[in-house]
Amino acid sequence: MNLENHYKKLKRAGTSEMFLGRAVRDFAKREDVVIATKFLPRSQDSIAAGISGKEHIKDSLDKSLSHLGMDYVDLYIYHMWDWNTPIEEYLEGLSDAVKEGKVRYIGIANCFAWQLAEANALAQKNGWPEFVSVQNHYNLIMREEEREMNVYAGERNIALTPYSALAAGRLSKRPGETSKRLEEDTYAKFKYDATAKADSKVIEKVCEIADSHGVSMTEVSLAWLLTKVASPIAGATKLSHIEGAVKATELKLTDEEIDLLEADYVPHNLSGVMAQNTPAQRTTEQVWIQNGKLVK
């Protein structure tokens, strides 16, 4: 499978951080914004070189801070569960980063509830900072997080900040509409094409409710998600995308509308990174990374 369209940014590692840092310097005050960034698991080259998880975090964080032109980030996120690195190594490295003032809080992404629970139990036992947020795959047509993660996070007051909030545009387009991303994003096709027929029923309901309110599908999809999570992550390539996301915070769906949006969901197999979150990763490469380079 060719993942180049989705992860081509890896060829320009740090570019988004550079743009963000410049934007904050030019248009905002650092203390008025919350900045989050991530670190990837160790590459096979790093493992072969004997670089520990703790050392990997220090190197990754220092590079990110350099790209951003900042002294600290508010939230530093462990991008995906790394079966080749003991979680204790990462937790200790993150603890050092917090003590040094380079990180305020830590988050995690692409993990199961049991992994988050285990990590935070270890952190508590050793006096290290615990993960305060989780960024997993969650939207109207991928609701598997509701089985365990959402419940656990709610019990432990852990913030949910899901990615793919609009399912790579599928929850913002009317039936028959398309876009460059829908046509060319091969990784998104890998995640969603297999369930497109079942998902179409949910998307039709989004369209119906959007029409009844006189708003965009983006607003309805995000308004639903905002009833479940702290802060969804939605990509934007146009000003209208940002405007739609802002308007979603003002749209209040009724209980009946929420029930209608949820009624046609069917169980899904995990896809993307979470489908690869198994012990088999100890002997195989990550789903989309080999030594820090794109895989095809």
Side-chain angles (χ1 to χ4, degrees):
M1 180 183 59
N2 186 347
L3 307 182
E4 188 164 351
N5 287 337
H6 189 71
Y7 287 110
K8 61 185 179 181
K9 64 183 179 181
L10 291 180
K11 293 182 177 180
R12 305 186 301 276
T15 301
S16 61
E17 292 173 329
M18 293 176 190
F19 282 131
L20 176 59
R22 186 188 307 171
V24 171
R25 287 192 296 275
D26 291 347
F27 302 108
K29 294 181 180 179
R30 175 64 183 92
E31 60 271 20
D32 292 340
V33 295
V34 175
I35 304 295
T37 193
K38 301 177 181 178
F39 68 94
L40 291 165
R42 293 185 302 163
S43 67
Q44 294 299 316
D45 284 346
S46 294
I47 293 172
I51 297 174
S52 69
K54 181 178 177 179
E55 293 169 326
H56 175 68
I57 285 181
K58 184 179 187 312
D59 180 62
S60 298
L61 177 58
D62 286 346
K63 287 179 180 177
S64 287
L65 291 175
S66 176
H67 295 153
L68 289 164
M70 298 176 183
D71 297 325
Y72 73 96
V73 292
D74 299 279
L75 181 66
Y76 198 42
I77 302 168
Y78 176 19
H79 187 61
M80 65 181 69
W81 194 265
D82 180 1
W83 287 89
N84 290 308
T85 305
I87 185 62
E88 292 89 343
E89 292 185 17
Y90 284 148
L91 287 170
E92 187 174 6
L94 290 167
S95 178
D96 289 347
V98 172
K99 289 177 181 177
E100 292 169 7
K102 295 179 179 180
V103 171
R104 294 185 66 199
Y105 300 97
I106 63 172
I108 192 169
N110 295 301
C111 68
F112 292 111
W114 73 262
Q115 292 171 324
L116 175 54
E118 178 180 280
N120 276 355
L122 285 169
Q124 188 176 56
K125 178 181 178 181
N126 288 282
W128 298 325
E130 297 179 37
F131 292 114
V132 301
S133 69
V134 58
Q135 184 184 122
N136 275 11
H137 186 190
Y138 183 43
N139 56 52
L140 262 171
I141 58 174
M142 175 52 78
R143 291 170 48 201
E144 300 309 301
E145 291 299 284
E146 294 176 2
R147 298 179 185 276
E148 293 189 16
M149 181 60 82
N150 288 14
V151 178
Y152 174 74
E155 288 290 325
R156 294 294 186 269
N157 197 31
I158 296 171
L160 297 172
T161 63
Y163 63 84
S164 201
L166 296 172
R170 285 156 180 77
L171 288 166
S172 64
K173 298 294 182 184
R174 295 175 177 275
E177 287 186 332
T178 190
S179 68
K180 183 177 180 181
R181 183 173 186 187
L182 287 176
E183 294 293 331
E184 299 181 1
D185 191 335
T186 54
Y187 191 63
K189 288 177 179 290
F190 166 64
K191 291 195 293 184
Y192 294 112
D193 277 6
T195 58
K197 185 176 180 179
D199 296 340
S200 66
K201 295 181 180 180
V202 178
I203 294 171
E204 287 172 4
K205 293 298 192 305
V206 175
C207 185
E208 291 173 12
I209 292 174
D211 287 344
S212 70
H213 283 275
V215 301
S216 68
M217 291 175 63
T218 292
E219 291 168 66
V220 173
S221 299
L222 293 180
W224 173 84
L225 198 51
L226 283 166
T227 68
K228 312 289 184 178
V229 308
S231 181
I233 297 172
T237 57
K238 299 178 182 178
L239 180 59
S240 61
H241 297 167
I242 298 174
E243 292 172 341
V246 172
K247 290 178 181 178
T249 65
E250 303 169 356
L251 177 62
K252 303 302 179 185
L253 300 173
T254 66
D255 291 342
E256 291 76 14
E257 288 171 331
I258 291 173
D259 289 342
L260 189 65
L261 288 168
E262 296 178 355
D264 291 317
Y265 181 76
V266 297
H268 284 44
N269 291 326
L270 296 180
S271 61
V273 176
M274 283 301 290
Q276 303 293 319
N277 188 353
T278 71
Q281 278 190 9
R282 291 194 179 100
T283 55
T284 59
E285 296 282 2
Q286 297 285 351
V287 62
W288 49 268
I289 258 189
Q290 288 183 2
N291 296 326
K293 299 179 181 179
L294 296 171
V295 296
K296 297 182 179 181

